[in-house]
Amino acid sequence: MEQTKALNALEPFLALSKSATSPRAASDLVVQATSAPNTYVFAELLQTPNIQALRSSPEYASYLTLLEIFAWGTWADYKSKNDLPKLSAQQHQKLLLLSLLPLSHSHTTLTYAALQSALDLPSARALEELITHAIYAGLLTATLDPAHSRVAVTSISPLRDLAPGSVPALQSTLATWSTRCNAALADLEAQVEKVKSDAVQREKMRRKKERAIEVQTSDEKGAGKRGAETRGGFADEDAMDIDQEAGSGRATRGAKRGAGAFGFGGAGKRLG
Protein backbone atom coordinates (compact mmCIF):
# COMPACT_ATOMS: atom_id res chain seq x y z
CA MET A 1 0.00 0.00 0.00
CA GLU A 2 2.71 2.50 0.99
CA GLN A 3 4.87 1.44 -1.99
CA THR A 4 2.01 2.02 -4.41
CA LYS A 5 1.33 5.43 -2.89
CA ALA A 6 5.01 6.37 -3.10
CA LEU A 7 5.29 5.19 -6.72
CA ASN A 8 2.20 7.15 -7.68
CA ALA A 9 3.68 10.26 -6.04
CA LEU A 10 6.84 9.79 -8.14
CA GLU A 11 5.00 9.48 -11.48
CA PRO A 12 4.80 13.25 -12.21
CA PHE A 13 8.55 13.63 -11.71
CA LEU A 14 9.24 10.70 -14.03
CA ALA A 15 7.19 12.45 -16.69
CA LEU A 16 9.04 15.75 -16.09
CA SER A 17 12.44 14.03 -16.34
CA LYS A 18 11.93 13.55 -20.07
CA SER A 19 11.98 17.30 -20.61
CA ALA A 20 14.76 18.06 -18.12
CA THR A 21 17.45 17.99 -20.76
CA SER A 22 19.77 20.53 -19.15
CA PRO A 23 21.76 19.88 -15.93
CA ARG A 24 20.08 22.87 -14.31
CA ALA A 25 16.59 21.52 -15.08
CA ALA A 26 17.56 18.04 -13.91
CA SER A 27 18.95 19.41 -10.61
CA ASP A 28 15.75 21.41 -10.05
CA LEU A 29 13.76 18.23 -10.63
CA VAL A 30 15.83 16.44 -7.96
CA VAL A 31 15.04 19.22 -5.49
CA GLN A 32 11.33 19.06 -6.30
CA ALA A 33 11.15 15.26 -6.03
CA THR A 34 13.00 15.09 -2.72
CA SER A 35 10.88 17.89 -1.26
CA ALA A 36 7.48 16.46 -2.24
CA PRO A 37 5.51 15.16 0.77
CA ASN A 38 4.75 11.61 -0.41
CA THR A 39 7.82 10.62 -2.42
CA TYR A 40 9.87 8.01 -0.56
CA VAL A 41 11.30 5.86 -3.40
CA PHE A 42 13.54 7.29 -6.11
CA ALA A 43 15.12 4.34 -7.98
CA GLU A 44 13.10 4.87 -11.18
CA LEU A 45 13.94 8.57 -11.25
CA LEU A 46 17.62 7.77 -10.72
CA GLN A 47 17.60 5.49 -13.76
CA THR A 48 16.27 8.10 -16.18
CA PRO A 49 18.86 9.28 -18.75
CA ASN A 50 18.64 13.00 -17.97
CA ILE A 51 19.18 12.45 -14.24
CA GLN A 52 22.11 10.09 -14.92
CA ALA A 53 23.57 12.79 -17.17
CA LEU A 54 24.22 14.88 -14.03
CA ARG A 55 27.17 12.58 -13.29
CA SER A 56 29.15 14.22 -16.08
CA SER A 57 28.34 17.78 -14.94
CA PRO A 58 30.98 19.20 -12.57
CA GLU A 59 28.59 21.86 -11.33
CA TYR A 60 25.49 19.70 -10.74
CA ALA A 61 26.87 16.20 -10.11
CA SER A 62 26.30 16.72 -6.37
CA TYR A 63 22.52 16.67 -7.03
CA LEU A 64 22.79 13.15 -8.35
CA THR A 65 24.66 12.15 -5.18
CA LEU A 66 21.96 13.87 -3.13
CA LEU A 67 19.26 11.88 -4.90
CA GLU A 68 21.19 8.65 -4.24
CA ILE A 69 21.31 9.47 -0.53
CA PHE A 70 17.55 10.00 -0.52
CA ALA A 71 17.14 6.66 -2.32
CA TRP A 72 19.24 4.45 -0.04
CA GLY A 73 21.31 6.62 2.30
CA THR A 74 20.79 8.27 5.68
CA TRP A 75 21.27 11.56 7.46
CA ALA A 76 24.72 10.34 8.55
CA ASP A 77 25.69 9.80 4.89
CA TYR A 78 24.60 13.31 4.05
CA LYS A 79 26.63 14.77 6.92
CA SER A 80 29.74 12.85 5.86
CA LYS A 81 29.90 14.73 2.53
CA ASN A 82 30.80 18.40 2.48
CA ASP A 83 30.01 19.28 -1.14
CA LEU A 84 26.32 18.44 -1.21
CA PRO A 85 23.58 21.02 -1.75
CA LYS A 86 22.03 22.53 1.36
CA LEU A 87 18.74 20.94 2.33
CA SER A 88 15.48 22.80 2.64
CA ALA A 89 13.28 22.23 5.68
CA GLN A 90 11.14 19.79 3.69
CA GLN A 91 14.15 17.86 2.45
CA HIS A 92 15.66 17.73 5.92
CA GLN A 93 12.43 16.35 7.37
CA LYS A 94 12.16 13.80 4.52
CA LEU A 95 15.72 12.54 4.98
CA LEU A 96 15.26 12.18 8.74
CA LEU A 97 12.09 10.16 8.13
CA LEU A 98 13.86 7.90 5.65
CA SER A 99 16.79 7.49 8.05
CA LEU A 100 14.42 6.13 10.69
CA LEU A 101 13.76 3.02 8.59
CA PRO A 102 17.24 1.44 8.72
CA LEU A 103 17.69 2.58 12.32
CA SER A 104 14.51 0.73 13.28
CA HIS A 105 15.92 -2.62 12.17
CA SER A 106 18.03 -2.91 15.33
CA HIS A 107 16.60 -2.88 18.86
CA THR A 108 19.82 -1.36 20.19
CA THR A 109 19.17 1.87 18.26
CA LEU A 110 15.58 2.35 19.42
CA THR A 111 16.34 4.27 22.58
CA TYR A 112 15.64 7.97 22.65
CA ALA A 113 19.31 8.70 23.23
CA ALA A 114 20.52 6.61 20.29
CA LEU A 115 17.93 8.01 17.88
CA GLN A 116 18.55 11.60 18.93
CA SER A 117 22.28 11.12 18.43
CA ALA A 118 21.91 9.45 15.01
CA LEU A 119 19.48 12.08 13.73
CA ASP A 120 20.95 15.13 15.47
CA LEU A 121 17.65 15.94 17.14
CA PRO A 122 17.82 18.52 19.93
CA SER A 123 15.26 17.01 22.32
CA ALA A 124 13.05 14.02 23.09
CA ARG A 125 10.09 16.16 22.05
CA ALA A 126 11.54 16.61 18.56
CA LEU A 127 12.15 12.87 18.30
CA GLU A 128 8.59 12.04 19.35
CA GLU A 129 7.20 14.48 16.76
CA LEU A 130 9.35 12.90 14.03
CA ILE A 131 8.27 9.35 14.93
CA THR A 132 4.64 10.43 15.12
CA HIS A 133 5.00 11.91 11.62
CA ALA A 134 6.55 8.63 10.39
CA ILE A 135 3.66 6.63 11.88
CA TYR A 136 1.01 8.80 10.23
CA ALA A 137 2.92 8.66 6.92
CA GLY A 138 2.78 4.85 7.03
CA LEU A 139 6.55 4.44 7.27
CA LEU A 140 6.48 2.73 10.66
CA THR A 141 4.16 0.96 13.02
CA ALA A 142 5.51 1.91 16.41
CA THR A 143 4.66 2.86 19.98
CA LEU A 144 6.36 5.57 22.00
CA ASP A 145 7.41 4.72 25.54
CA PRO A 146 8.43 8.03 27.16
CA ALA A 147 8.59 6.47 30.63
CA HIS A 148 11.49 4.24 29.53
CA SER A 149 12.74 6.52 26.73
CA ARG A 150 12.29 3.81 24.12
CA VAL A 151 10.48 3.28 20.83
CA ALA A 152 8.79 -0.09 20.18
CA VAL A 153 8.69 -0.72 16.42
CA THR A 154 6.48 -3.57 15.21
CA SER A 155 6.70 -3.12 11.43
CA ILE A 156 8.66 -1.14 8.83
CA SER A 157 7.42 -0.23 5.38
CA PRO A 158 9.66 -1.48 2.52
CA LEU A 159 10.23 1.99 1.09
CA ARG A 160 14.01 2.12 0.75
CA ASP A 161 15.72 1.39 -2.55
CA LEU A 162 18.61 -1.05 -2.72
CA ALA A 163 22.03 0.51 -3.10
CA PRO A 164 24.31 -0.73 -5.90
CA GLY A 165 26.29 -3.75 -4.77
CA SER A 166 23.89 -4.53 -1.93
CA VAL A 167 22.43 -7.65 -3.58
CA PRO A 168 25.43 -9.94 -2.81
CA ALA A 169 25.40 -8.78 0.82
CA LEU A 170 21.65 -9.37 0.93
CA GLN A 171 22.12 -12.85 -0.54
CA SER A 172 24.76 -13.61 2.07
CA THR A 173 22.45 -12.43 4.83
CA LEU A 174 19.60 -14.55 3.45
CA ALA A 175 21.90 -17.57 3.14
CA THR A 176 22.99 -17.17 6.76
CA TRP A 177 19.37 -16.82 7.82
CA SER A 178 18.43 -19.91 5.79
CA THR A 179 21.22 -21.91 7.44
CA ARG A 180 19.99 -20.90 10.89
CA CYS A 181 16.43 -21.83 9.93
CA ASN A 182 17.55 -25.24 8.67
CA ALA A 183 19.50 -25.83 11.88
CA ALA A 184 16.50 -24.81 13.95
CA LEU A 185 14.23 -27.12 11.95
CA ALA A 186 16.65 -30.02 12.35
CA ASP A 187 16.78 -29.39 16.09
CA LEU A 188 12.98 -29.28 16.27
CA GLU A 189 12.70 -32.51 14.31
CA ALA A 190 15.19 -34.18 16.65
CA GLN A 191 13.20 -32.99 19.66
CA VAL A 192 9.98 -34.28 18.10
CA GLU A 193 11.56 -37.69 17.50
CA LYS A 194 12.81 -37.77 21.08
CA VAL A 195 9.34 -36.92 22.39
CA LYS A 196 7.85 -39.70 20.25
CA SER A 197 10.48 -42.19 21.43
CA ASP A 198 9.93 -41.25 25.08
CA ALA A 199 6.18 -41.62 24.59
CA VAL A 200 6.64 -45.11 23.14
CA GLN A 201 8.87 -46.12 26.05
CA ARG A 202 6.37 -44.76 28.57
CA GLU A 203 3.56 -46.68 26.88
CA LYS A 204 5.62 -49.90 26.99
CA MET A 205 6.33 -49.40 30.68
CA ARG A 206 2.67 -48.67 31.36
CA ARG A 207 1.55 -51.85 29.61
CA LYS A 208 4.24 -53.88 31.37
CA LYS A 209 3.06 -52.57 34.76
CA GLU A 210 -0.56 -53.31 33.87
CA ARG A 211 0.32 -56.90 32.94
CA ALA A 212 2.28 -57.32 36.17
CA ILE A 213 -0.67 -56.00 38.18
CA GLU A 214 -3.07 -58.30 36.33
CA VAL A 215 -0.85 -61.34 37.02
CA GLN A 216 -0.48 -60.40 40.69
CA THR A 217 -4.24 -59.88 41.05
CA SER A 218 -4.94 -63.21 39.39
CA ASP A 219 -2.48 -64.99 41.70
CA GLU A 220 -4.03 -63.37 44.77
CA LYS A 221 -7.54 -64.39 43.68
CA GLY A 222 -6.39 -67.99 43.09
CA ALA A 223 -4.65 -68.15 46.48
CA GLY A 224 -7.76 -66.82 48.20
CA LYS A 225 -9.97 -69.42 46.54
CA ARG A 226 -7.68 -72.28 47.52
CA GLY A 227 -7.57 -70.97 51.11
CA ALA A 228 -11.34 -70.87 51.30
CA GLU A 229 -11.58 -74.43 50.00
CA THR A 230 -9.00 -75.59 52.52
CA ARG A 231 -10.77 -73.86 55.36
CA GLY A 232 -14.04 -75.47 54.27
CA GLY A 233 -12.44 -78.95 54.34
CA PHE A 234 -11.11 -78.40 57.83
CA ALA A 235 -14.56 -77.34 59.00
CA ASP A 236 -16.14 -80.48 57.58
CA GLU A 237 -13.54 -82.69 59.24
CA ASP A 238 -14.00 -80.88 62.57
CA ALA A 239 -17.74 -81.33 62.33
CA MET A 240 -17.29 -85.03 61.67
CA ASP A 241 -14.94 -85.36 64.65
CA ILE A 242 -17.42 -83.59 66.89
CA ASP A 243 -20.24 -85.86 65.72
CA GLN A 244 -18.10 -88.92 66.32
CA GLU A 245 -17.14 -87.75 69.78
CA ALA A 246 -20.74 -86.98 70.61
CA GLY A 247 -21.87 -90.39 69.40
CA SER A 248 -19.26 -92.27 71.37
CA GLY A 249 -20.25 -90.29 74.44
CA ARG A 250 -23.88 -91.24 74.06
CA ALA A 251 -22.92 -94.84 73.53
CA THR A 252 -20.76 -94.86 76.63
CA ARG A 253 -23.46 -93.29 78.75
CA GLY A 254 -26.01 -95.82 77.45
CA ALA A 255 -23.68 -98.69 78.24
CA LYS A 256 -23.23 -97.41 81.76
CA ARG A 257 -26.95 -97.13 82.24
CA GLY A 258 -27.46 -100.68 80.97
CA ALA A 259 -24.75 -102.06 83.21
CA GLY A 260 -26.25 -100.38 86.25
CA ALA A 261 -29.69 -101.82 85.66
CA PHE A 262 -28.34 -105.30 85.18
CA GLY A 263 -26.34 -105.05 88.36
CA PHE A 264 -29.23 -103.98 90.49
CA GLY A 265 -31.43 -106.71 89.05
CA GLY A 266 -28.90 -109.39 89.91
CA ALA A 267 -28.58 -108.12 93.39
CA GLY A 268 -32.31 -108.31 93.93
CA LYS A 269 -32.32 -111.91 92.92
CA ARG A 270 -29.59 -112.76 95.34
CA LEU A 271 -31.35 -110.98 98.13
CA GLY A 272 -34.43 -112.77 97.41
Side-chain angles (χ1 to χ4, degrees), residues 37-72:
N38 295 318
T39 53
Y40 295 105
V41 290
F42 304 96
E44 289 187 68
L45 184 61
L46 272 170
Q47 294 169 2
T48 58
N50 288 334
I51 296 298
Q52 282 295 316
L54 290 172
R55 197 178 303 277
S56 59
S57 171
E59 184 177 359
Y60 296 102
S62 59
Y63 285 88
L64 177 62
T65 303
L66 179 66
L67 185 58
E68 290 175 344
I69 289 176
F70 272 83
W72 54 71

Side-chain angles (χ1 to χ4, degrees), residues 86-98:
K86 185 178 179 180
L87 298 180
S88 66
Q90 293 83 1
Q91 287 176 307
H92 183 212
Q93 177 85 344
K94 173 75 67 64
L95 188 54
L96 291 182
L97 289 170
L98 292 171

Side-chain angles (χ1 to χ4, degrees), residues 109-130:
T109 61
L110 290 178
T111 62
Y112 276 31
L115 290 173
Q116 284 180 239
S117 176
L119 301 175
D120 287 335
L121 294 173
S123 64
R125 176 71 176 177
L127 175 63
E128 290 172 350
E129 289 178 354
L130 180 69

Side-chain angles (χ1 to χ4, degrees), residues 13-25:
F13 303 103
L14 293 176
L16 291 172
S17 67
K18 297 175 182 179
S19 59
T21 55
S22 67
R24 176 64 181 271

